[in-house]
């Protein structure tokens, strides 16, 4: 278990204790301020009631879910104190509203002002208990980071003078950013400068997988190649599937036609290319809606999907469900599921894109594509976590290589889960050539730069409109 996981568990445990303590204190306050409560005789008698026991059992667990939705547990080593204050206040207000709607909206106390006063007190107690516990824990963690006892074990990918310079800069800000450079990763060039000036080990890229899997390395800082963007992108593409933070300098990131946004004003200006620049709350809420909507949709429409599967089997020989390998987040391959819309062996001569007049498409398949019904089985991909409801459309490795040659910024698409629908599909539609895929890419990059829950819902609404009007192709 690495340091981040241990700290995350500790934060969750402390939040549970502080929330439970806040609720116990609120029960005491409620006993003294709510006239009806006096009829129970004592605080102990009030706590022994079924309703209060349920509150004590379920409310802390519900609040842990709220804390997760705010993204509080996403980053545990280098927390922003201001962000921590705002997230705790927001969570307390949400907890107040939830408790009122579930436990107090039907309160028998006729004095509604007293009820509102009580839930305001609950918010204040919940905020105070949770924030004090969090501040104490975060202060202790920061002290351990400054002492070097908690750190982000880091490797610099690249060798030579630029890597040597990065090593010196990261050592200088280690007390602030928590980087502990464990060595360099050779990309095939001479490592003499690093060995002579820094006296740290140099590893190969092939050895990274085991090091990261063992938890001994959490962060990779990639040094951009002076020869151009493509050599550095090739390295990044090798590192993305390793499931660790991959950072580049801001200057290189800007070369990908991507704006740099950061709140870090003290440490080294590095940009994480393995994750989109969105808040933890947006990422978690997005995933929550992915799971909830896909699960409900599958439960509701499975009879309809069964009918479609039978129609596909009747329309032409072959299986109803078509499986194909696509490349997902962090360049991880996954199996995508679709209702088969082409005749079997349609790509016997190699991968090729379809077009509106494609003779490989079956009669029923043309109707399925028009209304995007062939995509429905991908709800299972969304539920599994391979995909999201909204995100850049997943492509095959064969076409990705061609896209990257024309548009290196495609690498940024793999920061996020691919989507069942996307801004590119709504605005551009299907692509029948690689050049059209490159044109559609600008919408996918715009999406990544503007990800929000509201934008996702707008794209879903437009997708539903396309489905209902049959403008899929």
């Amino acid at each position: 278990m690495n340091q981040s996981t241990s700290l995350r568990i500790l934060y969750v445990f402390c939040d549970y204790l502080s929330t439970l303590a806040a609720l116990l204190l609120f029960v005491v306050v409620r006993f003294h301020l709510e006239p009806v409560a006096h009829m129970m005789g004592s605080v102990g008698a009030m706590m022994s009631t079924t309703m209060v026991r349920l509150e004590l059992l379920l409310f802390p667990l519900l609040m842990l879910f709220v804390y997760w939705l705010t993204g509080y547990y996403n980053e545990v080593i280098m927390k922003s104190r201001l962000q921590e204050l705002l997230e705790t206040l927001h969570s307390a207000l949400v907890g107040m509203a939830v408790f009122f709607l579930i436990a107090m909206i039907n309160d028998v106390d006729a004095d509604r002002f007293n009820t509102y006063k009580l839930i305001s007190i609950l918010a204040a107690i919940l905020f105070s208990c949770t924030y004090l516990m969090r501040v104490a824990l975060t202060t202790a963690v920061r002290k351990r980071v400054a002492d070097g006892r908690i750190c982000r074990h880091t490797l610099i990918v690249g060798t030579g003078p630029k890597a040597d310079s990065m090593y010196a800069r990261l050592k200088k800000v280690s007390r602030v950013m928590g980087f502990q450079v464990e060595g360099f990763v050779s990309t095939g060039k001479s490592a003499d400068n690093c060995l002579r000036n820094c006296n740290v080990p140099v590893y190969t890229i092939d050895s990274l997988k085991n090091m990261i899997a063992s938890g001994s390395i959490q962060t990779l800082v990639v040094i951009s190649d002076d020869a151009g963007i493509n050599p550095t992108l090739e390295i990044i593409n090798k590192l993305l599937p390793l499931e660790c933070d991959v950072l580049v300098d801001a200057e290189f990131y800007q070369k990908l036609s991507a704006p740099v946004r950061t709140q870090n004003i003290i440490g080294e200006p590095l940009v994480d290319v393995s994750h989109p620049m969105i808040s933890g709350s947006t990422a978690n809420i997005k995933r929550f809606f992915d799971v909830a909507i896909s699960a409900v949709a599958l439960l509701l429409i499975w009879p309809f999907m069964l009918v479609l599967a039978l129609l596909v089997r009747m329309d032409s020989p072959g299986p109803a469900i078509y499986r194909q390998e696509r490349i997902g987040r962090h360049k991880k391959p996954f199996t995508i599921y679709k209702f088969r819309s082409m005749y079997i062996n349609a790509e016997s001569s190699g991968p090729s894109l379809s077009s509106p007049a494609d003779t490989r498409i079956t009669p029923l398949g043309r109707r399925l594509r028009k209304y995007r019904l062939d995509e429905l089985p991908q709800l299972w991909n969304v539920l599994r976590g391979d995909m999201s409801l909204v995100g850049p459309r997943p492509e095959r490795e064969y076409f990705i290589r061609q896209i990257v040659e024309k548009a290196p910024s495609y690498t940024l698409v793999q920061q996020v889960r691919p989507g069942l629908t996307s801004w590119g599909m709504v605005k551009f539609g299907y692509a029948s050539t690689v050049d059209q895929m490159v044109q559609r890419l600008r919408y996918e990059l715009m999406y990544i730069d503007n990800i929000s829950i509201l934008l996702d819902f707008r794209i879903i609404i437009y997708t539903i409109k396309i489905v209902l009007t049959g403008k899929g192709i």
Side-chain angles (χ1 to χ4, degrees):
M1 185 182 297
N2 59 39
Q3 288 179 327
S4 294
T5 302
S6 300
L7 284 174
R8 192 168 288 113
I9 293 173
L10 182 59
Y11 270 105
V12 170
F13 179 68
C14 289
D15 276 350
Y16 177 82
L17 289 182
S18 60
T19 304
L20 182 60
L23 189 56
L24 287 170
L25 183 56
F26 173 69
V27 171
V28 175
V29 172
R30 189 176 181 183
F31 174 79
H32 289 93
L33 294 183
E34 195 170 40
V36 176
H38 289 294
M39 298 172 58
M40 299 180 185
S42 67
V43 174
M46 184 175 178
M47 288 187 178
S48 64
T49 62
T50 302
M51 185 62 183
V52 173
R53 284 182 175 179
L54 283 174
E55 291 170 358
L56 293 172
L57 174 65
L58 299 178
F59 186 69
L61 298 177
L62 180 62
M63 287 306 301
L64 289 181
F65 175 68
V66 172
Y67 299 147
W68 173 79
L69 280 182
T70 65
Y72 183 73
Y73 305 124
N74 290 30
E75 173 58 59
V76 291
I77 291 181
M78 298 303 297
K79 281 189 172 294
S80 163
R81 293 179 187 270
L82 177 59
Q83 189 69 22
E84 185 171 62
L85 173 65
L86 296 176
E87 287 178 357
T88 307
L89 179 59
H90 182 252
S91 299
L93 294 175
V94 171
M96 174 191 73
V98 170
F99 191 87
F100 172 73
L101 291 174
I102 295 177
M104 297 185 69
I105 195 168
N106 294 319
D107 204 312
V108 295
D109 190 347
D111 186 357
R112 300 308 293 176
F113 175 77
N114 190 56
T115 299
Y116 299 145
K117 180 173 69 174
L118 281 171
I119 62 170
S120 299
I121 291 173
L122 171 62
I125 294 174
L126 185 59
F127 169 78
S128 300
C129 291
T130 306
Y131 186 61
L132 287 175
M133 181 75 82
R134 286 179 171 183
V135 165
L137 184 54
T138 299
T139 300
V141 169
R142 280 184 169 271
K143 188 176 185 304
R144 286 177 170 265
V145 170
D147 294 343
R149 287 178 289 174
I150 293 178
C151 60
R152 292 191 281 190
H153 297 283
T154 304
L155 291 177
I156 296 175
V157 182
T159 55
K162 290 181 69 174
D164 194 32
S165 174
M166 178 61 73
Y167 175 81
R169 298 202 304 273
L170 291 183
K171 282 196 69 176
K172 192 176 296 184
V173 298
S174 61
R175 290 172 59 88
V176 178
M177 301 184 71
F179 291 113
Q180 180 172 308
V181 180
E182 305 291 351
F184 295 85
V185 178
S186 174
T187 57
K189 298 185 178 180
S190 174
D192 291 344
N193 287 342
C194 293
L195 287 170
R196 182 176 65 251
N197 298 335
C198 303
N199 194 30
V200 293
V202 179
Y203 302 96
T204 64
I205 287 183
D206 294 336
S207 66
L208 287 180
K209 185 174 182 180
N210 291 333
M211 296 176 70
I212 292 169
S214 67
S216 58
I217 296 297
Q218 292 89 42
T219 306
L220 301 173
V221 178
V222 179
I223 303 301
S224 56
D225 197 305
D226 293 329
I229 294 178
N230 287 340
T232 305
L233 284 178
E234 289 178 10
I235 294 171
I236 291 174
N237 284 331
K238 290 180 181 178
L239 302 178
L240 286 178
L242 298 179
E243 290 295 337
C244 69
D245 295 338
V246 180
L247 311 183
V248 299
D249 62 83
E251 181 181 356
F252 173 78
Y253 194 76
Q254 285 179 316
K255 291 178 182 178
L256 295 176
S257 301
V260 176
R261 293 178 291 176
T262 181
Q263 296 179 343
N264 177 18
I265 61 174
I266 299 177
E268 186 69 18
L270 297 172
V271 182
D272 188 346
V273 294
S274 55
H275 298 90
M277 291 187 189
I278 59 175
S279 66
S281 60
T282 299
N284 292 353
I285 293 172
K286 180 178 170 66
R287 181 59 191 150
F288 169 73
F289 279 120
D290 283 345
V291 173
I293 294 175
S294 61
V296 171
L298 285 170
L299 285 173
L300 292 178
I301 68 172
W302 72 265
F304 176 64
M305 292 176 64
L306 181 59
V307 171
L308 288 180
L310 293 173
L311 291 175
V312 171
R313 290 295 302 271
M314 294 170 59
D315 182 60
S316 62
I321 300 296
Y322 177 68
R323 297 168 176 82
Q324 191 178 72
E325 184 180 274
R326 297 289 177 95
I327 305 300
R329 185 177 64 162
H330 297 166
K331 282 190 67 65
K332 281 196 168 183
F334 70 96
T335 300
I336 195 172
Y337 300 96
K338 303 175 70 173
F339 284 123
R340 183 174 55 81
S341 59
M342 289 187 176
Y343 293 104
I344 58 173
N345 299 322
E347 290 190 327
S348 56
S349 58
S352 60
L353 297 168
S354 63
S355 62
D358 199 327
T359 57
R360 298 174 302 165
I361 302 175
T362 65
L364 177 62
R366 198 168 301 279
R367 303 293 294 178
L368 293 177
R369 286 175 172 239
K370 184 176 182 179
Y371 294 97
R372 301 277 175 86
L373 298 177
D374 59 320
E375 314 282 3
L376 286 179
Q378 289 163 43
L379 287 168
W380 176 245
N381 288 115
V382 174
L383 187 62
R384 284 176 37 151
D386 300 324
M387 298 174 63
S388 177
L389 289 173
V390 180
R393 285 297 293 168
E395 305 293 353
R396 285 179 279 179
E397 181 66 34
Y398 176 83
F399 294 110
I400 289 176
R401 287 196 297 267
Q402 299 177 58
I403 296 171
V404 170
E405 288 180 3
K406 296 174 179 287
S409 54
Y410 183 85
T411 296
L412 298 177
V413 166
Q414 291 159 340
Q415 294 177 330
V416 298
R417 287 185 179 90
L420 179 63
T421 185
S422 72
W423 198 344
M425 291 298 291
V426 166
K427 296 292 291 183
F428 191 90
Y430 289 107
S432 55
T433 66
V434 172
D435 286 336
Q436 288 182 356
M437 295 170 85
V438 172
Q439 292 178 42
R440 190 175 64 189
L441 175 62
R442 69 181 186 270
Y443 294 108
E444 313 294 25
L445 294 175
M446 286 172 60
Y447 170 76
I448 290 174
D449 191 45
N450 295 276
I451 292 178
S452 69
I453 304 303
L454 179 60
L455 178 60
D456 276 14
F457 276 112
R458 291 177 64 186
I459 292 173
I460 290 172
I461 290 171
Y462 276 106
T463 301
I464 293 173
K465 181 180 178 182
I466 289 173
V467 170
L468 295 177
T469 56
K471 294 181 179 179
I473 55 175

